[in-house]
Amino acid sequence: RLNDTDIRLQLDRPLPQSLVLGKDVVENADWTPDLTVRSCDFGPTSGRGILCTTRGKVTIEHNRFEKLWGPALLIEDDCNFWFESGYTREIVFRENEVIDCEYGHMWPETPVIRYSPKVMDENSTTFVHGKLTLADNRFSKPQGEHHSIWLEYLAEASGANALYLNLARMTPAAAVADLFAAAPAALESVKIDGADADYEVSRSGEAVRIAGTFPTASINLR
């Protein structure tokens, strides 16, 4: 340790020839903790909910996210400006209640869950993050607003038994548009299971867009 911001590394092997000074970064993979967030209340507030990037085991369950200006869950990865920690292997988000989050329209499509790692190569098809598992969550939005989850550079996502509600009537939302948007082009198939699921899948460049009606449905992206 040299000071509060700098350390000197002593390596036990030569650096790869492909290493580029000023472009590549180093992360201490031994200091990436497991994370459990359970039975907590977030909001109302003018901030976001949980910002999480650790390759350890992540479980977020039995929480209440209410009236957050930003997303309930934000997953980044940045070695260009903020220098936040690296990728995630799997995040389990289950049995949470998400009420009127992203009301500040911080991001396009106002997603309540957003994966947006900062990938500088626009042509990259390499995944950054591993898997997102959604289970038994309850999402509520004001009347007239759609539900959205935004995924970029995520290898796998699955969702089951989600309930999407309209806050005014507290009944299943009649139409949930753009449930998953901006998924990587390497996505091979999209499958949505649910008796009331009526949806359309379209592709545009690197994005996969799913729009339809999902009162309760199981969503699997592979």
Side-chain angles (χ1 to χ4, degrees):
R1 180 178 184 274
L2 301 179
N3 52 49
D4 289 342
T5 59
D6 300 305
I7 61 174
R8 178 180 288 119
L9 296 178
Q10 183 173 348
L11 306 178
D12 61 1
R13 70 201 68 180
L15 289 172
Q17 294 295 319
S18 59
L19 192 71
V20 178
L21 185 65
K23 181 179 179 181
D24 292 307
V25 298
V26 176
E27 179 184 9
N28 188 342
D30 291 333
W31 282 33
T32 51
D34 294 338
L35 173 67
T36 300
V37 183
R38 181 181 295 122
S39 303
C40 296
D41 290 329
F42 296 85
T45 181
S46 58
R48 59 179 172 251
I50 297 174
L51 171 64
C52 173
T53 46
T54 176
R55 66 183 70 188
K57 180 181 179 181
V58 178
T59 303
I60 301 170
E61 61 184 3
H62 308 148
N63 302 290
R64 181 183 176 94
F65 302 86
E66 182 175 8
K67 202 72 177 176
L68 299 176
W69 187 79
L73 177 63
L74 177 62
I75 309 299
E76 289 279 358
D77 175 80
D78 175 30
C79 58
N80 302 285
F81 183 75
W82 291 110
F83 291 94
E84 293 166 337
S85 56
Y87 65 85
T88 59
R89 286 196 174 99
E90 181 178 9
I91 293 179
V92 177
F93 190 87
R94 65 187 175 210
E95 298 183 17
N96 299 289
E97 185 167 16
V98 181
I99 304 171
D100 193 15
C101 290
E102 239 290 293
Y103 71 84
H105 298 266
M106 183 177 180
W107 305 103
E109 306 295 337
T110 61
V112 295
I113 294 176
R114 179 180 172 91
Y115 275 68
S116 52
K118 300 301 181 286
V119 178
M120 306 310 292
D121 182 2
E122 295 181 354
N123 297 317
S124 174
T125 58
T126 302
F127 295 115
V128 175
H129 295 291
K131 181 179 180 181
L132 170 65
T133 299
L134 303 172
D136 303 302
N137 297 292
R138 175 181 170 127
F139 299 93
S140 301
K141 280 274 194 174
Q143 187 172 9
E145 292 194 13
H146 69 263
H147 297 263
S148 174
I149 296 174
W150 187 276
L151 306 175
E152 295 181 16
Y153 296 99
L154 177 66
E156 183 178 351
S158 67
N161 302 324
L163 181 60
Y164 300 92
L165 299 177
N166 177 290
L167 283 179
R169 300 189 305 272
M170 294 308 292
T171 57
V176 181
D178 306 325
L179 186 61
F180 288 88
L187 195 65
E188 294 182 355
S189 64
V190 178
K191 182 180 181 182
I192 300 180
D193 299 320
D196 300 318
D198 180 14
Y199 63 94
E200 180 178 335
V201 179
S202 61
R203 291 176 180 266
S204 176
E206 294 293 318
V208 175
R209 193 183 195 94
I210 307 171
T213 303
F214 316 103
T216 58
S218 173
I219 305 98
N220 295 284
L221 305 185
R222 292 290 189 270

